Amino acid sequence: MTEADEIVRFHDRCSELMRGLLEALAAAPDQPRPFPEIEDALGWPRRRIASVLGGVARLRQTEFGGRRPYRFHDERQSASGRWELWMDAAQARAIRRADRAA
């Protein structure tokens, strides 16, 4: 996703856990991080991110055409050799805006 209004709408529609993940990604824009590093920063157990992303999959598909308000690399594309997530600076600004409005 690139449109700020769409990112804000996604933030408003998703679960508390997904909002927490989005806010953690927005805190470090343009910094791809492997799932375990993000989970540690959030105090989450391992594989929680995979569960949260799975839980929001239906929302992404039905309301947002599968688009994501974050960036994703699988283990073949990432520098770490693990799945990584991050947001670009514009996505992070939209999430911070949504967080302030909530």
Side-chain angles (χ1 to χ4, degrees):
M1 291 182 191
T2 58
E3 298 296 323
D5 290 339
E6 184 178 41
I7 293 168
V8 168
R9 196 171 109 236
F10 184 93
H11 179 275
D12 292 345
R13 296 276 300 125
C14 66
S15 70
E16 285 293 322
L17 288 172
M18 187 65 201
R19 278 194 288 276
L21 175 58
L22 293 173
E23 290 157 14
L25 296 174
D30 298 315
Q31 296 179 17
R33 294 180 286 161
F35 284 21
E37 184 179 322
I38 300 165
E39 288 163 338
D40 288 347
L42 288 166
W44 287 1
R46 292 292 185 257
R47 296 180 294 284
R48 170 71 53 89
I49 288 177
S51 176
V52 170
L53 295 178
V56 78
R58 181 173 164 78
L59 175 69
R60 277 191 328 99
Q61 294 302 320
T62 59
E63 293 190 34
F64 299 95
R67 290 180 306 283
R68 299 177 172 104
Y70 53 86
R71 308 289 180 172
F72 172 79
H73 276 159
D74 67 18
E75 70 278 1
R76 293 168 302 194
Q77 300 167 312
S78 71
S80 69
R82 304 190 75 166
W83 288 15
E84 295 177 341
L85 293 176
W86 77 99
M87 287 184 171
D88 63 37
Q91 290 169 320
R93 276 191 301 278
I95 292 298
R96 287 192 295 271
R97 185 179 99 196
D99 194 36
R100 283 192 304 269

